[in-house]
């Protein structure tokens, strides 16, 4: 029995639209293909004057198209202020994340990595662990941190936590679905050699796969698993 076959209901926490596809789009597609349910919570939305309202609407529409491509059952838009989570009370962020975790009741929770450069990612990670505390009967039995190109790899070496994956999920049959989904983010997709390019995502999946003798894989750090 594979890890994916044990996932009946997954919730992916994305600090910003596209993080979820960059980090685990192939895994999401594979879970759905094997009969599991995937829901996504996009935590933030760009707000004026820092972000243009029309651009925020465009990115949301792109996320909805990408999620349809991957078979996401439901997308929760929490609409907290992008690039300003550090100005919120942490308790308010914790409450927002906890509410969606309670609603979805996932057995598996995918979260951004705590060492990512963007502070929104780090704060969402912390809030996720608060929401997923192992109390009572209904809490995620498995928490996996995903890597996000241009965030996970840009933090200061030796000074910030290092992403050292210990879980690799084979996405050889689902890499094209991931790339097609990310291509939906026309406003975010860049030409190579930019990291947020289809070519880079394919290359990363190839490298991650080669470390475990697979054609393509996504890498994760296991934060906790309750058997």
């Amino acid at each position: 029995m594979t890890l994916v076959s044990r996932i009946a209901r997954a919730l992916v926490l994305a600090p910003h639209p596209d993080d979820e596809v960059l980090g685990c789009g192939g895994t999401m597609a594979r879970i759905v293909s094997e009969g599991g349910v995937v829901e996504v919570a996009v935590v933030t939305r760009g707000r004026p004057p820092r972000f243009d309202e029309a651009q925020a609407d465009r990115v949301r529409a792109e996320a909805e198209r990408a999620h349809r491509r991957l078979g996401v059952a439901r997308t929760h838009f929490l609409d907290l202020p992008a690039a300003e989570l550090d100005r919120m009370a942490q308790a308010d962020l914790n409450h927002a994340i906890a509410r969606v975790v309670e609603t979805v009741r996932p057995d598996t929770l995918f979260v951004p990595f705590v060492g990512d450069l963007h502070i929104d990612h780090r704060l969402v990670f912390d809030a996720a662990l608060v929401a997923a505390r192992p109390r009572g009967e209904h809490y995620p039995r498995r928490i996996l941190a995903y890597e996000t190109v241009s965030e996970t790899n840009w933090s200061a070496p030796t000074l910030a936590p290092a992403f050292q994956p210990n879980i690799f999920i084979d996405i050889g049959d689902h890499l094209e679905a991931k790339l097609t989904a990310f291509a939906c983010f026309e406003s975010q997709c860049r030409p190579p050699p930019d990291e947020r390019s289809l070519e880079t995502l394919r290359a990363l999946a190839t490298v991650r796969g080669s470390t475990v003798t697979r054609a393509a894989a996504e890498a994760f750090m296991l934060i906790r698993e309750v058997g």
Side-chain angles (χ1 to χ4, degrees), residues 63-106:
E64 290 172 338
R65 287 197 298 273
H67 295 176
R68 285 195 294 271
R69 293 277 188 175
L70 295 174
V72 172
R74 182 180 178 187
T75 303
H76 307 258
F77 291 101
L78 306 191
D79 289 339
L80 301 181
E84 294 185 355
L85 292 184
D86 57 325
R87 300 179 65 179
M88 292 181 61
Q90 184 68 36
D92 292 337
L93 176 58
N94 292 350
H95 179 67
I97 299 295
R99 265 195 317 184
V100 73
V101 171
E102 290 168 2
T103 298
V104 177
R105 289 192 174 183

Side-chain angles (χ1 to χ4, degrees), residues 24-39:
C24 45
T27 298
M28 292 160 62
R30 181 174 167 188
I31 292 170
V32 172
S33 75
E34 297 190 18
V37 174
V38 175
E39 298 191 32

Side-chain angles (χ1 to χ4, degrees), residues 89-171:
Q90 184 68 36
D92 292 337
L93 176 58
N94 292 350
H95 179 67
I97 299 295
R99 265 195 317 184
V100 73
V101 171
E102 290 168 2
T103 298
V104 177
R105 289 192 174 183
D107 56 68
T108 303
L109 186 63
F110 291 90
V111 301
F113 179 58
V114 68
D116 284 1
L117 181 63
H118 202 309
I119 194 170
D120 283 358
H121 289 224
R122 302 197 299 268
L123 292 172
V124 169
F125 175 91
D126 288 340
L129 290 198
V130 173
R133 286 176 293 189
R135 291 179 173 173
E137 289 298 318
H138 301 292
Y139 61 86
R141 267 33 184 190
R142 184 180 301 106
I143 305 173
L144 297 169
Y146 57 83
E147 63 179 332
T148 308
V149 291
S150 79
E151 298 295 351
T152 306
N153 56 307
W154 280 3
S155 57
T158 74
L159 300 180
F163 185 78
Q164 298 178 315
N166 54 2
I167 298 289
F168 296 84
I169 294 181
D170 184 349
I171 63 165

Side-chain angles (χ1 to χ4, degrees), residues 1-4 6-7 107-109 129 132 134 139-144 166-167 221-227:
M1 179 177 289
T2 66
L3 169 62
V4 171
R6 300 198 303 273
I7 299 176
D107 56 68
T108 303
L109 186 63
L129 290 198
Y139 61 86
R141 267 33 184 190
R142 184 180 301 106
I143 305 173
L144 297 169
N166 54 2
I167 298 289
M221 285 185 67
L222 179 63
I223 305 303
R224 182 173 66 233
E225 183 166 21
V226 180

